Short mmCIF file of all heavy atoms in Angstrom, two decimals:
data_model
loop_
_atom_site.label_atom_id
_atom_site.label_comp_id
_atom_site.label_asym_id
_atom_site.label_seq_id
_atom_site.Cartn_x
_atom_site.Cartn_y
_atom_site.Cartn_z
N THR A 1 261.66 70.76 132.11
CA THR A 1 262.19 69.52 132.65
C THR A 1 261.35 69.10 133.85
O THR A 1 261.24 69.84 134.83
CB THR A 1 263.65 69.67 133.10
OG1 THR A 1 264.46 70.06 131.99
CG2 THR A 1 264.19 68.35 133.66
N LEU A 2 260.74 67.94 133.74
CA LEU A 2 259.98 67.38 134.85
C LEU A 2 260.88 66.49 135.69
O LEU A 2 261.78 65.82 135.16
CB LEU A 2 258.80 66.55 134.33
CG LEU A 2 257.82 67.25 133.40
CD1 LEU A 2 256.66 66.30 133.06
CD2 LEU A 2 257.31 68.55 133.98
N SER A 3 260.61 66.48 136.99
CA SER A 3 261.33 65.60 137.91
C SER A 3 260.36 64.71 138.64
O SER A 3 259.24 65.13 138.94
CB SER A 3 262.13 66.42 138.93
OG SER A 3 263.08 67.24 138.32
N CYS A 4 260.80 63.51 138.92
CA CYS A 4 260.02 62.56 139.71
C CYS A 4 260.92 62.07 140.83
O CYS A 4 261.85 61.29 140.58
CB CYS A 4 259.54 61.41 138.84
SG CYS A 4 258.77 60.06 139.76
N ALA A 5 260.66 62.53 142.03
CA ALA A 5 261.47 62.16 143.19
C ALA A 5 260.77 61.04 143.95
O ALA A 5 259.59 61.15 144.29
CB ALA A 5 261.67 63.36 144.10
N ALA A 6 261.51 59.97 144.20
CA ALA A 6 260.93 58.77 144.81
C ALA A 6 261.49 58.53 146.21
O ALA A 6 262.63 58.91 146.51
CB ALA A 6 261.20 57.56 143.93
N SER A 7 260.68 57.89 147.03
CA SER A 7 261.13 57.48 148.35
C SER A 7 260.28 56.32 148.83
O SER A 7 259.16 56.10 148.35
CB SER A 7 261.04 58.63 149.35
OG SER A 7 259.71 59.09 149.47
N GLY A 8 260.84 55.53 149.75
CA GLY A 8 260.07 54.46 150.37
C GLY A 8 260.12 53.11 149.68
O GLY A 8 259.44 52.18 150.11
N PHE A 9 260.92 52.99 148.63
CA PHE A 9 261.07 51.71 147.95
C PHE A 9 262.44 51.69 147.26
O PHE A 9 263.06 52.74 147.07
CB PHE A 9 259.93 51.48 146.95
CG PHE A 9 259.87 52.46 145.81
CD1 PHE A 9 260.45 52.17 144.59
CD2 PHE A 9 259.20 53.68 145.95
CE1 PHE A 9 260.39 53.06 143.53
CE2 PHE A 9 259.13 54.58 144.90
CZ PHE A 9 259.74 54.28 143.69
N PRO A 10 262.91 50.50 146.89
CA PRO A 10 264.25 50.39 146.28
C PRO A 10 264.25 50.93 144.85
O PRO A 10 264.11 50.18 143.88
CB PRO A 10 264.55 48.89 146.34
CG PRO A 10 263.21 48.24 146.39
CD PRO A 10 262.32 49.17 147.14
N PHE A 11 264.44 52.19 144.74
CA PHE A 11 264.26 52.93 143.49
C PHE A 11 265.04 52.32 142.32
O PHE A 11 264.52 52.21 141.22
CB PHE A 11 264.69 54.37 143.71
CG PHE A 11 264.63 55.25 142.50
CD1 PHE A 11 263.42 55.78 142.09
CD2 PHE A 11 265.77 55.56 141.78
CE1 PHE A 11 263.35 56.60 140.97
CE2 PHE A 11 265.72 56.37 140.67
CZ PHE A 11 264.50 56.89 140.26
N SER A 12 266.27 51.94 142.55
CA SER A 12 267.12 51.49 141.44
C SER A 12 266.61 50.21 140.80
O SER A 12 266.98 49.88 139.67
CB SER A 12 268.56 51.31 141.91
OG SER A 12 268.63 50.28 142.89
N TRP A 13 265.78 49.45 141.49
CA TRP A 13 265.24 48.21 140.93
C TRP A 13 264.07 48.47 139.98
O TRP A 13 263.72 47.60 139.18
CB TRP A 13 264.72 47.30 142.04
CG TRP A 13 265.76 46.82 143.00
CD1 TRP A 13 267.09 47.10 142.99
CD2 TRP A 13 265.51 46.01 144.14
NE1 TRP A 13 267.70 46.49 144.07
CE2 TRP A 13 266.75 45.81 144.79
CE3 TRP A 13 264.37 45.43 144.68
CZ2 TRP A 13 266.87 45.06 145.95
CZ3 TRP A 13 264.49 44.66 145.83
CH2 TRP A 13 265.74 44.49 146.46
N TYR A 14 263.47 49.64 140.10
CA TYR A 14 262.20 49.90 139.46
C TYR A 14 262.33 50.53 138.08
O TYR A 14 263.20 51.39 137.84
CB TYR A 14 261.35 50.83 140.33
CG TYR A 14 260.61 50.13 141.42
CD1 TYR A 14 261.30 49.48 142.45
CD2 TYR A 14 259.22 50.09 141.43
CE1 TYR A 14 260.61 48.81 143.45
CE2 TYR A 14 258.53 49.43 142.43
CZ TYR A 14 259.23 48.79 143.43
OH TYR A 14 258.55 48.13 144.41
N THR A 15 261.45 50.11 137.18
CA THR A 15 261.24 50.84 135.94
C THR A 15 260.37 52.05 136.26
O THR A 15 259.33 51.93 136.92
CB THR A 15 260.55 49.96 134.89
OG1 THR A 15 261.44 48.89 134.52
CG2 THR A 15 260.17 50.76 133.67
N ILE A 16 260.81 53.19 135.79
CA ILE A 16 260.06 54.43 136.02
C ILE A 16 259.55 54.94 134.68
O ILE A 16 260.34 55.03 133.71
CB ILE A 16 260.93 55.51 136.69
CG1 ILE A 16 261.57 54.97 137.98
CG2 ILE A 16 260.09 56.76 136.96
CD1 ILE A 16 260.60 54.62 139.07
N ARG A 17 258.29 55.23 134.63
CA ARG A 17 257.67 55.68 133.39
C ARG A 17 256.93 57.01 133.62
O ARG A 17 256.37 57.24 134.69
CB ARG A 17 256.70 54.65 132.85
CG ARG A 17 257.34 53.31 132.49
CD ARG A 17 256.31 52.33 131.95
NE ARG A 17 256.92 51.06 131.52
CZ ARG A 17 257.00 49.99 132.29
NH1 ARG A 17 256.51 50.00 133.52
NH2 ARG A 17 257.56 48.89 131.83
N TRP A 18 256.94 57.80 132.59
CA TRP A 18 256.10 59.00 132.56
C TRP A 18 254.90 58.72 131.66
O TRP A 18 255.05 58.23 130.53
CB TRP A 18 256.87 60.20 132.00
CG TRP A 18 257.85 60.78 132.95
CD1 TRP A 18 259.20 60.53 133.00
CD2 TRP A 18 257.58 61.72 133.99
NE1 TRP A 18 259.77 61.27 134.00
CE2 TRP A 18 258.80 62.01 134.63
CE3 TRP A 18 256.43 62.37 134.43
CZ2 TRP A 18 258.90 62.90 135.69
CZ3 TRP A 18 256.53 63.25 135.49
CH2 TRP A 18 257.76 63.50 136.11
N TYR A 19 253.72 59.01 132.18
CA TYR A 19 252.48 58.92 131.44
C TYR A 19 251.85 60.31 131.39
O TYR A 19 252.17 61.19 132.20
CB TYR A 19 251.50 57.97 132.12
CG TYR A 19 251.85 56.51 132.03
CD1 TYR A 19 252.75 55.94 132.93
CD2 TYR A 19 251.28 55.68 131.07
CE1 TYR A 19 253.07 54.60 132.87
CE2 TYR A 19 251.58 54.33 131.00
CZ TYR A 19 252.48 53.80 131.90
OH TYR A 19 252.79 52.47 131.83
N ARG A 20 250.95 60.50 130.47
CA ARG A 20 250.14 61.71 130.44
C ARG A 20 248.71 61.35 130.10
O ARG A 20 248.45 60.35 129.42
CB ARG A 20 250.70 62.73 129.46
CG ARG A 20 250.74 62.30 128.01
CD ARG A 20 251.50 63.33 127.18
NE ARG A 20 251.52 62.98 125.77
CZ ARG A 20 252.20 63.66 124.85
NH1 ARG A 20 252.93 64.73 125.20
NH2 ARG A 20 252.16 63.28 123.58
N GLN A 21 247.81 62.17 130.57
CA GLN A 21 246.40 61.90 130.35
C GLN A 21 245.65 63.21 130.25
O GLN A 21 245.57 63.98 131.22
CB GLN A 21 245.81 61.04 131.47
CG GLN A 21 244.38 60.62 131.22
CD GLN A 21 243.90 59.58 132.21
OE1 GLN A 21 244.46 59.42 133.30
NE2 GLN A 21 242.86 58.85 131.84
N ALA A 22 245.08 63.44 129.09
CA ALA A 22 244.24 64.60 128.88
C ALA A 22 242.80 64.24 129.25
O ALA A 22 242.44 63.05 129.24
CB ALA A 22 244.32 65.04 127.42
N PRO A 23 241.98 65.24 129.55
CA PRO A 23 240.59 64.97 129.89
C PRO A 23 239.89 64.17 128.78
O PRO A 23 240.10 64.44 127.60
CB PRO A 23 239.98 66.36 130.03
CG PRO A 23 241.12 67.23 130.42
CD PRO A 23 242.31 66.67 129.68
N ASP A 24 239.16 63.18 129.16
CA ASP A 24 238.38 62.35 128.24
C ASP A 24 239.25 61.54 127.28
O ASP A 24 238.76 61.11 126.22
CB ASP A 24 237.38 63.21 127.44
CG ASP A 24 236.40 63.94 128.34
OD1 ASP A 24 236.00 63.34 129.36
OD2 ASP A 24 236.05 65.08 128.03
N LYS A 25 240.50 61.36 127.63
CA LYS A 25 241.39 60.54 126.80
C LYS A 25 242.05 59.47 127.65
O LYS A 25 242.16 59.60 128.87
CB LYS A 25 242.45 61.40 126.11
CG LYS A 25 241.90 62.31 125.04
CD LYS A 25 243.02 62.96 124.25
CE LYS A 25 242.47 63.80 123.11
NZ LYS A 25 243.54 64.43 122.32
N GLN A 26 242.52 58.41 126.99
CA GLN A 26 243.22 57.36 127.70
C GLN A 26 244.61 57.83 128.15
O GLN A 26 245.22 58.68 127.50
CB GLN A 26 243.36 56.12 126.81
CG GLN A 26 242.06 55.34 126.63
CD GLN A 26 242.30 54.00 125.95
OE1 GLN A 26 243.20 53.86 125.14
NE2 GLN A 26 241.50 53.02 126.32
N ARG A 27 245.07 57.23 129.23
CA ARG A 27 246.42 57.53 129.69
C ARG A 27 247.41 57.01 128.65
O ARG A 27 247.29 55.89 128.17
CB ARG A 27 246.65 56.88 131.05
CG ARG A 27 247.96 57.26 131.71
CD ARG A 27 247.97 56.85 133.16
NE ARG A 27 247.04 57.65 133.95
CZ ARG A 27 246.88 57.53 135.25
NH1 ARG A 27 247.58 56.62 135.93
NH2 ARG A 27 246.01 58.28 135.91
N GLU A 28 248.40 57.82 128.35
CA GLU A 28 249.37 57.52 127.29
C GLU A 28 250.77 57.42 127.89
O GLU A 28 251.20 58.30 128.65
CB GLU A 28 249.35 58.63 126.23
CG GLU A 28 250.43 58.52 125.18
CD GLU A 28 250.53 59.76 124.30
OE1 GLU A 28 250.07 60.83 124.73
OE2 GLU A 28 251.09 59.64 123.20
N LEU A 29 251.48 56.35 127.55
CA LEU A 29 252.88 56.24 127.95
C LEU A 29 253.71 57.23 127.16
O LEU A 29 253.63 57.27 125.93
CB LEU A 29 253.39 54.82 127.71
CG LEU A 29 254.89 54.60 127.92
CD1 LEU A 29 255.28 54.82 129.37
CD2 LEU A 29 255.29 53.20 127.45
N VAL A 30 254.49 58.02 127.85
CA VAL A 30 255.35 59.01 127.20
C VAL A 30 256.76 58.45 127.03
O VAL A 30 257.26 58.33 125.92
CB VAL A 30 255.39 60.32 128.01
CG1 VAL A 30 256.31 61.34 127.33
CG2 VAL A 30 253.99 60.88 128.17
N GLU A 31 257.39 58.14 128.15
CA GLU A 31 258.74 57.56 128.13
C GLU A 31 258.93 56.73 129.38
O GLU A 31 258.31 56.97 130.40
CB GLU A 31 259.82 58.65 128.09
CG GLU A 31 259.89 59.42 126.81
CD GLU A 31 261.32 59.70 126.34
OE1 GLU A 31 262.25 59.04 126.80
OE2 GLU A 31 261.47 60.61 125.53
N GLY A 32 259.81 55.74 129.27
CA GLY A 32 260.14 54.92 130.42
C GLY A 32 261.63 54.61 130.44
O GLY A 32 262.29 54.63 129.40
N ILE A 33 262.13 54.33 131.65
CA ILE A 33 263.54 53.96 131.79
C ILE A 33 263.62 52.82 132.79
O ILE A 33 263.07 52.91 133.91
CB ILE A 33 264.40 55.16 132.20
CG1 ILE A 33 265.88 54.79 132.21
CG2 ILE A 33 263.96 55.76 133.53
CD1 ILE A 33 266.82 56.01 132.24
N GLY A 34 264.30 51.75 132.39
CA GLY A 34 264.40 50.58 133.25
C GLY A 34 265.57 50.65 134.20
O GLY A 34 266.36 51.60 134.19
N SER A 35 265.68 49.61 135.01
CA SER A 35 266.78 49.54 135.97
C SER A 35 268.13 49.47 135.29
O SER A 35 269.14 49.88 135.86
CB SER A 35 266.59 48.35 136.91
OG SER A 35 266.53 47.15 136.15
N GLY A 36 268.15 48.97 134.06
CA GLY A 36 269.38 48.91 133.28
C GLY A 36 269.55 50.10 132.36
O GLY A 36 270.38 50.06 131.45
N TYR A 37 268.78 51.15 132.61
CA TYR A 37 268.84 52.40 131.83
C TYR A 37 268.33 52.22 130.39
O TYR A 37 268.57 53.10 129.55
CB TYR A 37 270.24 53.01 131.84
CG TYR A 37 270.70 53.43 133.21
CD1 TYR A 37 271.31 52.53 134.07
CD2 TYR A 37 270.48 54.74 133.67
CE1 TYR A 37 271.71 52.91 135.35
CE2 TYR A 37 270.88 55.12 134.94
CZ TYR A 37 271.49 54.21 135.77
OH TYR A 37 271.88 54.59 137.04
#
């Protein structure tokens, strides 16, 4: 289980996404969750 802890901005307004990037590959969107869940 990965965690992403945020501070310094209105977190609940933001869409939060997890990306991953392997060496020599493009960054890939894994999952995202919007302000409306």
